[in-house]
Amino acid sequence: MESIAILIETEQDIIIARSEVRSMAAAMGFRLTDQTRLATVASELARNIVKYAGRGRLIAQPMSDTDGRSGLRLIFEDQGPGIADIDAAMRDGYSTSGGLGKGLPGSRRLVDEFQIESHVGRGTRVTVIRWLSP
Amino acid sequence: MYTPQRIPILKVGRVLIVPIQVDMDDATAMQLQERILAELERTGARGVLIDISLLEMVDSFIGRMLSDIAAMTRIMDARTVVAGMQPAVAITLVELGLELPGVDTVLNVDEGIRLLRDEFGIREEASEEPPDFELSDHWKA
């Protein structure tokens, strides 16, 4: 299956992101709960891009590891202001925008692998993977 | 220019029924919140029943909207019940860390009506029954 890249700039793009990720997860054979987890992660992290960076992109990549296990990798990247304190941003309830502070820590709980890199003034990249259970 | 989708708000007795049947963007969600409060004031309804059985995903934004609507309607002396959450949505919400504080949830719309009526005492208005009338001979035939 081909990877896809989605420009994330408006609130409409958040809807496109979650619907594309759900379709891809369904086509790969993820069960309904995992489709919902992945769509929700896409919604949370795409919204972060719109809210904090203004624009960025989502890359959705079907992949497999050396054991032949397959999974879906989602990469959210932007060239926005970056996150000054990543440890704080990963804590439940921490928000610089008056939000609930659930986006990053909550998203981490919905996937198997979660990696965040951010540089102040240069941007942020969040990479998540959910593996397909055999 | 983009305009938010319009989600129907139906008034049945003293309850507003809000069936959410589309994947809402943020603007639609915000507008819905305002419209529900305006309709509560305009109609004097005492209960709000939001049917989310067709929603395939509730993220922190929509979750917060549901909590906010429940809190705001309570301040306006009304109650909000959220009906029909799909199991996969419930699992994801809890993992996300959103337990929808202050929101009463029920399995379906029937249960929601029952809760509003039996627990919260929200009943049909007695004063607005349709007037009695006789069918004319013409229609009885």
Side-chain angles (χ1 to χ4, degrees):
Chain A
M1 201 178 303
E2 298 277 317
S3 298
I4 54 169
I6 301 166
L7 173 71
I8 305 293
E9 198 169 13
T10 69
E11 287 180 7
Q12 299 313 296
D13 298 328
I14 301 172
I15 292 193
I16 294 168
R18 63 196 185 211
S19 123
E20 289 288 330
V21 164
R22 179 184 286 274
S23 309
M24 195 173 238
M28 288 177 66
F30 279 101
R31 61 202 176 90
L32 182 63
T33 308
D34 280 340
Q35 294 172 29
T36 306
R37 289 187 175 107
L38 284 160
T40 306
V41 167
S43 189
E44 295 294 338
L45 299 181
R47 179 173 291 103
N48 279 358
I49 292 178
V50 173
K51 191 157 71 178
Y52 295 108
R55 70 191 302 245
R57 64 175 180 164
L58 160 62
I59 298 162
Q61 260 173 357
M63 54 173 297
S64 49
D65 69 4
T66 45
D67 300 332
R69 185 171 60 153
S70 46
L72 180 55
R73 172 158 56 202
L74 305 175
I75 303 165
F76 302 82
E77 54 186 22
D78 66 62
Q79 296 172 353
I83 301 170
D85 187 345
I86 290 186
D87 288 341
M90 291 306 301
R91 275 203 299 275
D92 270 300
Y94 178 88
S95 175
T96 57
S97 66
L100 293 175
K102 294 292 181 189
L104 284 174
S107 295
R108 178 160 65 178
R109 289 190 287 269
L110 295 177
V111 293
D112 296 312
E113 294 179 32
F114 184 100
Q115 191 193 13
I116 181 165
E117 309 150 68
S118 187
H119 300 281
V120 171
R122 280 166 47 202
T124 300
R125 180 193 289 132
V126 182
T127 306
V128 306
I129 300 173
R130 179 107 198 161
W131 296 108
L132 198 54
S133 10
Chain B
M1 201 192 122
Y2 168 75
T3 46
Q5 293 151 297
R6 218 170 156 77
I7 291 171
I9 299 177
L10 316 168
K11 181 169 178 288
V12 179
R14 302 183 74 187
V15 175
L16 299 179
I17 298 182
V18 185
I20 301 180
Q21 301 184 329
V22 293
D23 191 3
M24 284 185 297
D25 59 75
D26 298 0
T28 302
M30 293 308 295
Q31 193 210 53
L32 179 63
Q33 189 170 305
E34 286 168 21
R35 286 176 52 227
I36 287 174
L37 296 180
E39 281 299 287
L40 271 185
E41 188 191 36
R42 192 180 71 80
T43 64
R46 303 263 52 88
V48 179
L49 180 52
I50 304 178
D51 176 28
I52 61 165
S53 56
L54 291 177
L55 273 194
E56 294 184 320
M57 187 224 60
V58 172
D59 64 3
S60 62
F61 188 87
I62 296 172
R64 181 184 189 166
M65 180 204 75
L66 294 173
S67 289
D68 285 354
I69 290 176
M72 291 168 185
T73 51
R74 201 168 299 129
I75 289 171
M76 291 179 71
D77 194 23
R79 301 304 291 252
T80 292
V81 174
V82 171
M85 183 180 294
Q86 296 181 12
V89 172
I91 291 168
T92 304
L93 263 183
V94 170
E95 288 176 352
L96 201 55
L98 290 178
E99 278 134 44
L100 303 189
V103 180
D104 289 296
T105 51
V106 291
L107 280 179
N108 55 45
V109 170
D110 270 347
E111 287 294 313
I113 295 282
R114 195 198 59 72
L115 183 71
L116 287 167
R117 191 184 54 212
D118 298 350
E119 303 291 327
F120 302 146
I122 297 165
R123 298 175 183 281
E124 308 283 307
E125 294 113 315
S127 56
E128 285 189 25
E129 282 174 15
D132 292 329
F133 63 94
E134 290 286 315
L135 287 178
S136 70
D137 290 343
H138 173 75
W139 293 106
K140 281 179 181 166

